[in-house]
Amino acid sequence: MVERSAIKILILDDDPFMLKLLARILANQGFTAVVCCDNGRDALAQVDNETTRPDLILLDLNMPGMDGIEFVRYLVERQFTGSLILVSGEDMRMLRTAERLVQAHKIHMLGYLQKPVKNEALLALLTQWVPPSPMKPSVVKKKYSAEEIRLAINEDNLVNYYQPKVSVASGAVIGVETLVRWHHPQDGLVFPDQFISVAEAHGLINDLTRLVLSKAFAQARIWQQAGFELRVAVNVSMDNLASLDFQDLVAGLAAETGISPNKVVLEVTESQLMGDMRVSLEILTRLRLKRFHLSIDDFGTGHSSLAQLRDIPFDELKIDQGFVHRAWKDETLRVIYDTSLALAKQLNMEAVAEGVEDRDDWDLLRRTGCDLAQGNFISKPLLAEEIPGWIEVWLKRVQTELMIASSN
Ligand code: G
Ligand code: G
Ligand code: MN
């Protein structure tokens, strides 16, 4: 048992009265290592400092500035291993949705509390707190230094994987999404969540994206010559869209490799489409004018999505996997899925469902008329040379089982 006074608790709420109230309840119960913050920025500073990093965060969802959901995203980036209790005046349905979002991010949730917070409810959750088990190495991922990443780029240790996107109506293979991995000489396969944000923070993302793009285009050309007409999608970081050189880079590379712009999809993450949008807007619009396809990635997880849809001429909307898998049986997910799909249709965009994991997910897309599907049910990300063989197997599978109604 950990002493109550040894559990570091952070309360994040913009309401000073709530902070006082919660801190008093906690203190009365012997939880004395409590820090209060009235904004996300201060709270992140606590998380970033090893000596003040909380074991448990009581998080208010509705805050001006950085709201609770955005705060969770920053916790994920920091690989926060502590626990979370959501506190909000929103109704239970909203809280449950937020809880699912948190869990989807693999952050440990103790539960949620509705305001006004009842002592007993809070204590019931607190008694469930357990220290994070050091047995779970998957949670604590190694972070790499900028220097190591620079070396990986220069020595060409990055490898593109490609995840297929298929037509839901016909089963045809429409294209692939490029997902970069690092073949680390010692650590083996390293995933983008362990190096993209570092690359962004240290001005390396343009070099990285240039490498990923040029390999993806070269590969698209090889597939083309082998008779596979695939659209190739590449993930673009918001930092790539900070300088007007980017459009010349993309257009130049495509021309050099002989890839037509309408065979290229640039996926931009919605949550990143914030801040000063003027330059990025100009770049995206000009790329669109050159007939490159633009895709809004992870749709549904960000905030000002509707304004971005109004301002940027996207061709494709990717419904985040958090709203696809299991949407057939979960009413709340289903509402978000349906709304995103309807929005895509009304704006004449192709809808792509991400994270299609099983036959039930696939059948939902068929019933609802989603355009494209991507996910482990179709294929995990593959090496380029595995794609032709996979296509052959996939097309057989389409013919024999996927176009008929499922037996259950
Ligand atoms: O499978 P996966 O772990 O590859 O991808 C995790 C995340 O990393 C995805 O959200 C994807 O958008 C991002 N990602 C993958 N490859 C790239 C890339 O080349 N550039 C950028 N900016 N993000 C990438
Ligand atoms: O954020 P973006 O959509 O660019 O990245 C896709 C991410 O989703 C990658 O990390 C990829 O490996 C992962 N992914 C792809 N298919 C599935 C799936 O069916 N289920 C889950 N959980 N993750 C998937
Ligand atoms: Mn993507």
Side-chain angles (χ1 to χ4, degrees), residues 236-254:
V236 167
S237 158
M238 206 54 203
D239 294 11
N240 292 132
L241 303 177
S243 148
L244 293 171
D245 299 340
F246 186 71
Q247 60 199 323
D248 299 328
L249 169 72
V250 176
L253 278 173

Side-chain angles (χ1 to χ4, degrees), residues 81 99 148 207:
T81 54
E99 181 188 41
E148 290 171 287
D207 290 343

Side-chain angles (χ1 to χ4, degrees), residues 12 39-46 66 71:
L12 172 54
N39 68 82
R41 193 180 299 258
D42 291 352
L44 286 177
Q46 297 281 324
M66 187 192 302
F71 181 75

Side-chain angles (χ1 to χ4, degrees), residues 159-184:
V159 180
N160 284 354
Y161 280 62
Y162 300 94
Q163 188 173 39
K165 287 177 174 175
V166 301
S167 156
V168 174
S170 70
V173 182
I174 302 301
V176 292
E177 173 179 3
T178 309
L179 293 159
V180 67
R181 275 109 180 76
W182 177 1
H183 282 194
H184 193 285

Side-chain angles (χ1 to χ4, degrees), residues 158 160 178 180 207-217 234:
L158 300 183
N160 284 354
T178 309
V180 67
D207 290 343
L208 187 148
T209 304
R210 182 181 306 119
L211 192 58
V212 173
L213 275 169
S214 64
K215 288 186 197 194
F217 288 0
V234 171

Side-chain angles (χ1 to χ4, degrees), residues 177 235 267 297 318 354:
E177 173 179 3
N235 288 286
E267 295 193 8
D297 206 353
K318 296 189 81 177
E354 299 184 290

